[in-house]
Amino acid sequence: MTTWVPRAAALGVHLLAVGSVLAADEQSNIFAGSIANAIITLVIFLLVVWVLGKFAWPPVLQALNDREATIRRQLEEAKAEREAATKLLSDYQAQLDKAREEASAIVAEGRRDAETTSRRIQDEARRESEETIARARREIQLATDTARKELHDEAAELAVQVARRVVRKELAPADHKELVAEALREIAATGGKLN
């Protein structure tokens, strides 16, 4: 502050002291006053108001204005932050909804894939079982044919052995020779291959 502020304050104190002395001279009661006492009190009051208005109120008003501006700025920042938080919350909610939809789609796709895989595995198993049954039938048929052929061959061998025994007893040596010659002619006619 400037140097005349203390001087003005000192002047105010002097005037107050002078007013008190004058008032004390006229009456000892402080509530009983005179015009001079009222004028001095008014002058002192106006001087104090002027000094306060000139030097005290501007810094106080400035501090209050600064405080008001700070509070206003903080309120605006809080409002902006609240709006940003609300927007961020709505963005997060949208992302969460999107993630739920994607998860549902993935689960549905997984179910479809599982059903497709299950059908494919069942079809493959059915096809393999049909192939196994068909192969088993072919093997059974082949075994049956082989068994029939073996049975036929054994029956034929048995029949030949029985026939040999019967033929030997009933054929005369000349008939026997004729049969051997006929067999040799048939062999020669087929080129040496036996039936």
Side-chain angles (χ1 to χ4, degrees), residues 58-71:
V60 170
L61 287 176
Q62 183 63 38
L64 289 174
N65 288 336
D66 292 345
R67 179 69 181 143
E68 181 183 356
T70 301
I71 291 171

Side-chain angles (χ1 to χ4, degrees), residues 10-106:
L11 177 66
V13 170
H14 280 66
L15 288 173
L16 186 59
V18 169
S20 299
V21 169
L22 290 174
D25 286 344
E26 292 180 6
Q27 288 184 346
S28 62
N29 187 356
I30 59 170
F31 293 108
S34 65
I35 295 285
N37 193 12
I39 292 174
I40 290 174
T41 304
L42 182 62
V43 170
I44 291 173
F45 176 74
L46 292 175
L47 182 65
V48 168
V49 169
W50 180 79
V51 169
L52 287 176
K54 184 76 173 167
F55 300 105
W57 291 120
V60 170
L61 287 176
Q62 183 63 38
L64 289 174
N65 288 336
D66 292 345
R67 179 69 181 143
E68 181 183 356
T70 301
I71 291 171
R72 185 174 289 120
R73 188 182 77 250
Q74 289 174 348
L75 286 173
E76 289 171 358
E77 288 174 358
K79 182 180 177 182
E81 288 174 1
R82 186 178 62 238
E83 290 173 356
T86 303
K87 183 181 182 305
L88 191 61
L89 179 63
S90 66
D91 289 347
Y92 284 148
Q93 188 64 39
Q95 288 176 355
L96 183 62
D97 292 342
K98 183 179 178 183
R100 283 184 184 147
E101 290 174 5
E102 289 176 358
S104 296
I106 289 171

